[in-house]
Amino acid sequence: MDGLRLGQALANHISFPYSPNAASEYYHLFISDDDCTHGYMHPAIVEKMPWHDGFSVDHQTRTVRANLPECSVAFQQLVDAIIDQNIFQIVGGRHSEYFSVPGALQPLQIERFAVGLFGTTSRGAHLTAYTATAEGEMRIWVPRRSSALKTYPGMLDTTVAGGVRAQESPFETIVHEADEEASLPEALVRHRAKSCGVLTYIHQTDDSFFAEQGLVMPDMVHVYDLELKADVVPTPKDDEVKEFYCMSVPDIQASLKVGAFKPNSAVVMIEFFIRHGIINPENEEDFTDICMRMHRRLPFPVSTRR
């Protein structure tokens, strides 16, 4: 990519160490009688958390366990207390939609803004819409985030993206987000959007994040492609997108190089370039490392278990 090495740029977002010792610095979250770890909690979060009788905390073994059979109730009581007391910046005293915790033996839902406090795995869905010019050049529709957003205001983003809410599939997330963020018709998205796999990685918040530092954020991102005809133009519909640009591949590469993209959207864009042969082993020195970092085996359950 013209001498552009992306490995370090990715490392800044996919930043949780691979060393087995890294997890020992965190408290491991367990859910009822399930013996699998479902999240890594930062010690500072554990210390400030308004725990109640539905949880047991063992500082010697660095474990937290939700003890109630109905774990969603225990977590909701905790989140309600966090909001009432406005304890953590990441929650900001606000309620949010529910996310399901993947791989939990019993259904467990946690409010989206609070997920990062517990270090459980989030699910997202991103769609990259692109078109071809009369000369056959690929152009990609890239939105600029509103400057009023709390997270990564004013940065470039994936065409359409959103968190996968509880009781919702990744594809349904794409369908409703495509309407809300880009005014793309439902029939078009349902007919032409193509599932292209899932990215798995672990982010650790740093000073580029608006709230608490050192939070562990495992993520599964379902990626979709949508080829649009030249006369289909995404248009902002809600207040999250300021405007759309129809960008060339070189312009996007330059924007990635200077960190203009929202971090997880940069990961999605780089993976899109790999799938379309734009980034390959011949033009990117860190190619193998990039591919492996975007498809990390997560240390938590990620699918239905019996």
Side-chain angles (χ1 to χ4, degrees), residues 31-34 38 68-72 101 103-109 305:
I31 300 169
S32 192
D33 295 326
D34 190 342
H38 283 272
L68 298 177
E70 292 293 331
C71 283
S72 290
V101 176
L105 291 178
Q106 300 296 328
L108 172 58
Q109 298 178 5
R305 298 155 61 221

Side-chain angles (χ1 to χ4, degrees), residues 30-43:
F30 293 89
I31 300 169
S32 192
D33 295 326
D34 190 342
D35 289 332
C36 287
T37 301
H38 283 272
Y40 294 153
M41 295 187 66
H42 195 287

Side-chain angles (χ1 to χ4, degrees), residues 129-194:
Y130 62 98
T131 189
T133 66
E135 296 74 31
E137 178 193 8
M138 176 185 280
R139 292 270 179 161
I140 300 170
W141 286 104
V142 175
R144 185 174 297 283
R145 294 166 64 80
S146 166
S147 59
L149 290 175
K150 203 163 190 177
T151 56
Y152 306 106
M155 299 193 78
L156 301 179
D157 210 341
T158 316
T159 314
V160 170
V164 178
R165 300 177 296 201
Q167 313 303 327
E168 185 176 59
S169 71
F171 185 67
E172 291 303 320
T173 298
I174 290 298
V175 171
H176 77 72
E177 293 289 351
D179 171 53
E180 294 171 9
E181 295 183 352
S183 306
L184 293 174
E186 177 178 344
L188 170 68
V189 176
R190 289 192 181 280
H191 180 63
R192 297 191 61 86
K194 297 179 180 179

